Every structure is written in structure tokens, then in C-alpha cells.
Amino acid sequence: MRNTLTSTHCPYCALQCGMNLTPAADGRSVEVSERADFPVNRGALCGKGRTSPAVLSSAVRLTSPLVRSAAGTLEPASWEEALDRIAEGIGGARAEHGADAVGVFGGGGLTNEKAYSLGKFARVVLGTSQIDYNGRFCMSSAAAAGGRAFGLDRGLPFPLEDIPRTGCVILVGSNPAETMPPALRYFTELKENGGTLIVVDPRRTRTAEQADLHLAPRPGTDLALALGLLHLVVAEGRTDEEYIRERTTGWEDTRAAAMAHWPEYVERITGVSVPQLRKAVRLFCEPENAMVLTARGPEQQAKGTDTVSAWINLALATGRPGRPLSGYGCLTGQGNGQGGREHGQKADQLPGYRKLTDPAARAHVAQVWGVGPDSLPGPGRSAYELLDALGTDIRALLLMGSNPVVSAPRAAHIEERIRSLDFLAVCDVVLSETAELADVVLPVTQWAEETGTTTNLEGRVLLRRRAIPPPPGVRSDLEVLHGLAARLGGEGSPEKRFPTDPEEVFEELRRASEGGPADYSGITYRRLVEENGVFWPCPDQRETAEETVHPGTPRLFLDRFATEDGRARFVPVSHRAVAEEPDEEYPVLLTTGRVVAQYQSGAQTRRVEELNSAAPGPFVELHPRLAQRIGAAEGEPVAVVSRRGRAVAPARITTSIRADTVFMPFHWAGEGRANTLTNPALDPTSRMPEFKACAVRLEAVRP
Ligand code: SF4
């Protein structure tokens, strides 16, 4: 095995950087080396990718199932005992309270095969509608807005390589310098080629420092900002009338909504000056090509879907989407944030991005699964609503690849709900804060120890390949579902219905997705290796083996949008305030986000020494004026208090943030847990919580 090079992809974010792995001498870990043939990162990796082998080490990982003893402690157990215990816990809840008393919670890091199998397991074996996943917290607002404008949601409808060749990019609420550093080069090259970069962010981030223009609105006001820009586009006669006429519907209502948002009014709401608004419009409208890219900033709001729609409207009014080197796109966050929501672990979806409420979709998928369409449950609760119902009508939970004790909004309440469950089973690679609360913890394989596909932020389906065997005592998530299917019943043999070979699962996923919006039916593992990834939709168009395969679709919408009439739809939206405006008691806005050396809830990266020394803990970023007002000093503890709780972390005083706003990264548990404070107010369409803005007060903590 030694010196056998495996070309694969990083376990972390949605860029899914290519990397080569060589098994280390002990055969238990791998060495990472540059993989220049993968076009997305061309060999570059950030610190998280470079150090990813550290989490393979048995020193930080679970290698035996754990079962809670009568004394209340988690004790090592055999796989048979652990699976029996889960079947007993879940089966008992189902028998006593009905199928919907069992919840299933997945993750945006799961491979397509796992996400697909988990959705199928919930609906076919458990018969529960109560399944959702943490990707709901990540980009469901952009998915909803993209769906209603274009008839289809794929993060980027064009490859990243188009970015340097456009004329201007407005990057809204995204900080790739910290979240996906190898992607920053696309924006650097854009500028080298003469293009301009406009960054919209309340903080002067490392990405904003590179911008030609940085607009720093108050958190939660970027909907108004987009409307103000659209107002100026109309007022200055910069709309693309021919494009609006030929390729869109609904312009008049959207135009009227924008005209009600005068630049001076928008300046008052956002804090962005009228000259800055005018400059942004000029930079965006003058080039022949331009793009709007959004990320968590506009999405993680109680009005996230409308906020993204406002940015899409700006792109449509200027004739950008569906044209070469132009358009609107969303930068996904989690490793398989895109694919994870396409294949059935979302509460309202079936594989192939089909709708669970669509009778034809139900019939197609039910036929692939060998069950009757009527046996499939309907849509269930969204992620936060599901977690909020734990211990009430949901009595047992199976959780895979997520750590909501750290990552959910109003986390102390969610932790309490989890503790009130009759039964909790968690599959993870490490003992996360959520796994610590479980009745049974199953140690599962990860990234370099298993094969499976992911779909990156460009809609490029990729094959992650196994480089080393898992440690003894560890099984894959697919094996877990297989074992539970055998115990929890249902018709047919689990060997056939829940295969453990990822390629076999993918072959079934292909059939289940066939004809759906996210059609993977023309993609095979072999093609993924030979072609370095394939963009969906990729239908299987061959009648015979000799016929030409579909090449995949790197660029969407060039001829028509995926709506019934082929036209993009303007959606009129109006400004509204954040769910929790500052007041006398809570006078400051808190916004949350990430730092370069940690990933999501930190379950993996907090266990990597190099990353931990670079980013050892949470902090409260605040402006010197605010620091002076509360008497805070650099590095000294500051308490941040919201209506939901209190968090304490050292002050980081900087002029790069607005004086009415504080920032906390959300990767840590304990007293510095940012999500203790966040507001679970949900977007009415996407059901995404408002992580990006809540009212807080600050107190300096005296030793
Ligand atoms: Fe991994 Fe993302 Fe870093 Fe690339 S940018 S190495 S995918 S964490």
C-alpha cells in the first residue's frame, strides 16, 4: 500500500479542493500532497485541508461503539449490542407514539450516497416525515430564491473559472479569504484582468480589504441595499430592456417596489452613503459582463429568501443571468452542501431534487425503492423546528454528521431539548458535544477511509476515494443504515434495499434522480475518475452503450431558464427590519461567522493541534468606540447577552467593524458559544434561522 497515490478531495468545505493522499508508513494515516490536475484549486489548499489527516488519528477518534450504562456513563460496547440498543430505542418510540415520534437529522457533509440512503431509510424503514439536516442552516434561502427566480437551484450556474473573465463581481456576505482561501485567487485574477470587486459586508474582512469598493451595511439591511441599487439602476436608465422583455416576467411590480426605495432612504436604513451606492451601480453596470454572488450573509436572515431575491432582481434587471461570463450564483458552505440537499435528506425533497408533494415524483422514487407511493410520508418539519420539537412529540432521534449543540441557533434551548429525548443515537467520527449526550454513539468512517461522491459549489459531482482502511472497530454510515434496516423491519432484505457498497448506492441514486431537476443518471464512478468530475444535470441519454454520453452541464440557463415558460421570474420584495431590532436593553447587533482555521461546529478542526493554536477559542470583535463605552480592553473577557442567554469571550478591538455591531465566530462550545445568543426567527419560505443579526448588550467582565 505504501506510496500508492490516491487522488481525492478535501473533507471540509464546498470548494472540495483536489488533493493527493499517500498512506503513511503505519497504514493508519495519510500524507497530503498537491494535486495540480484538479482545476478548482490547482493544487492550493488551506490549512484545514493540509492538516485534515490529523483527524484520522486514533488519538482523537472514536473506534468503538459507546452505549450509556445504567450508571449514566458512555461505555464501549460491541456493534451488535449498540445496533440492538438503537433498534430498541427507535422501535420503542415508534411503537408507543407512532412513526413521526422518530426524528432523523443529517448533515451537509455527508456524501450523496449517505444523504440518499438516510432519506430513504427515514421514509421507507421508519416511515417518518420528521427528517431534515443542518444544510437548512447553510443556504436554503438561496435555494428557495434561486428556485423561484430560475426554476432550479444550483449554487453556481457556471464554473468558478468564469469569475476572472467577467467585468465586475458584487460579493454579498461572503468572506472566501477565511472560509475557502484557495477561491480567493478567482477574485484576485478578476482584478488583474481589469475587473472590479465590490464586497458587501458589515465587517472589513480580509476579502473586503481586496475590494475596489466595500459597502458595510448594518447587519440585516442588505435587502434594502439591493433595492437602493436597483432604484438607481432604473433612475439612471441602466436597465437592459430587451433582456427584461425577452427573458423575464414580473418586472413591473419589482420595478415599482424598487422605486419606493429612494437612495437617501436606503442610506438611512443601511448606513451606506448615496455616493457609495452610485459608485457601486456604475462599477456593476458599465462592464458588458457582471455577476452577483451571495453567501451566508444575506441568507441567514428571517427574510433571507427575499434578500437573495432582491440581489437576483438586480442581476436580472441588468440582464446578467443566463449570459456567458455573467449571472447570479451562491457560494455554498459545507462540503456537500449542494449534493446533500438534492437527494432526499431535506424535509420536503426526494432524490433528484424532486418535491415530496409532487405525485409524479413520489411515484417515480417509490418505484425505484420498491414501495407504494402512498406509503411515503409527506414533508416534515424544518431543521430548527424539528430540533425544537425534540422531547415533545419527537421522542427518539437518529443523528448523522451534525453537531447541533454548537451549530443550532438558541443552542442552550436546543441542548435542553436534546437532553429531554427518550432516546438519542449519534453517528460521528469524534465524540462531539452532541454525541456526549447520546444513548448510543456509533464510530463511523470518514473521508480518506471511504469512497463516495460529493457535489461542490459549482454543481460539479466529484468522487472522493478511499486511500486507507478504517481503524478496527469503525464502520461506514451505509453499514449502520444496513444494520438498522435489518433490525427495524420493512419489506424485503436489507442486503438489497440498503447496500453497503457506495457505488451500488450511487447506481440506485442515478435511477432515482433520472428525469428530476438534479439528474445524475448519466454520471458513473468511472466517468467521475476519467473526467475529473461531471456537472449536473447529466441525463443518461444513451439507448446503447456505443452512443455518446451527455457531457454534463457546466453552464445553466444560456438558452432558457428552468421555469415552465423558460423565462426568469422577478419577485417583488420590500425592506423589512431584522426580527429583533436593538433597543435600550439590547442596543447592539450581533452577527456571527467563521474564522479561517476552524470549520463549522469545530468538531473536527478543534481536534487538530495546528489549527487550534492558530484559532484557540472564540472572541468578541468590537469597535474601539464601543469598547470604550463598556470599558472593555483588548484580550479581556466581554459578556455578550441576548434574550436567549449569555456568552463570554475575550475582546478583539478593531476598526474593521461597525461601531453598532459585534461579531463572534460560532465554532466553539462552552461559555463562548456564539449560538447561545442567536435568534431562531425563521424565514417564512426557507425556514432558515436568523444567525446574522440579533440584539445584544455588552458588559466588560471584571476579574
Ligand atoms: Fe478544504 Fe475548503 Fe480549505 Fe479547500 S478551501 S482545502 S476544500 S477547507
Side-chain angles (χ1 to χ4, degrees), residues 10-17 19 41 44-50 179-182 599:
C10 175
Y12 296 118
C13 84
L15 207 54
Q16 285 296 283
C17 292
M19 54 168 61
N41 62 311
L45 294 171
C46 77
K48 297 185 286 279
R50 234 179 345 91
T179 55
M180 44 180 71
Y599 180 69

Side-chain angles (χ1 to χ4, degrees), residues 426-636:
V426 173
C427 303
D428 211 328
V429 298
V430 294
L431 194 64
S432 70
E433 287 76 9
T434 308
E436 281 175 17
L437 307 181
D439 297 287
V440 179
V441 184
L442 297 178
V444 288
T445 50
Q446 53 173 319
W447 157 71
E449 302 158 354
E450 60 185 18
T451 292
T453 60
T454 60
T455 305
N456 83 344
L457 75 175
E458 307 165 289
R460 191 192 303 248
V461 186
L462 305 162
L463 187 65
R464 272 200 209 145
R465 288 190 287 181
R466 172 171 155 148
I468 50 167
V474 169
R475 293 186 186 176
S476 76
D477 293 291
L478 296 179
E479 287 174 297
V480 169
L481 295 175
H482 176 91
L484 291 178
R487 285 165 174 78
L488 284 159
E491 291 165 23
S493 67
E495 286 76 25
K496 291 206 180 107
R497 293 187 307 131
F498 288 90
T500 56
D501 172 18
E503 187 165 7
E504 211 178 313
V505 177
F506 189 79
E507 287 300 307
E508 187 183 305
L509 181 159
R510 288 177 60 198
R511 286 190 287 121
S513 75
E514 188 167 12
D519 190 335
Y520 281 39
S521 61
I523 304 174
T524 61
Y525 271 25
R526 189 171 155 186
R527 283 192 69 183
L528 293 178
V529 174
E530 288 173 354
E531 299 172 36
N532 229 340
V534 177
F535 291 84
W536 71 259
C538 180
D540 187 2
Q541 60 185 16
R542 295 179 310 160
E543 297 288 327
T544 68
E546 287 73 41
E547 283 182 70
T548 322
V549 294
H550 189 286
T553 316
R555 293 174 183 84
L556 293 167
F557 314 139
L558 293 180
D559 301 323
R560 69 190 309 278
F561 294 98
T563 53
E564 265 177 30
D565 60 5
R567 290 164 178 256
R569 293 179 288 239
F570 280 102
V571 178
V573 291
S574 290
H575 162 70
R576 52 190 189 274
V578 294
E580 196 177 62
E581 279 278 40
D583 56 18
E584 238 173 67
E585 202 180 348
Y586 300 97
V588 176
L589 279 173
L590 167 74
T591 191
T592 62
R594 295 183 267 171
V595 296
V596 66
Q598 298 288 351
Y599 180 69
Q600 304 295 38
S601 80
Q604 294 134 295
T605 49
R606 280 187 275 121
R607 288 168 167 84
V608 178
E609 206 180 312
E610 187 180 326
L611 300 177
N612 245 349
S613 32
F619 55 87
V620 181
E621 189 177 285
L622 73 169
H623 192 276
R625 283 207 297 278
L626 184 52
Q628 194 184 22
R629 203 156 74 221
I630 63 160
E634 177 71 21
E636 295 298 323

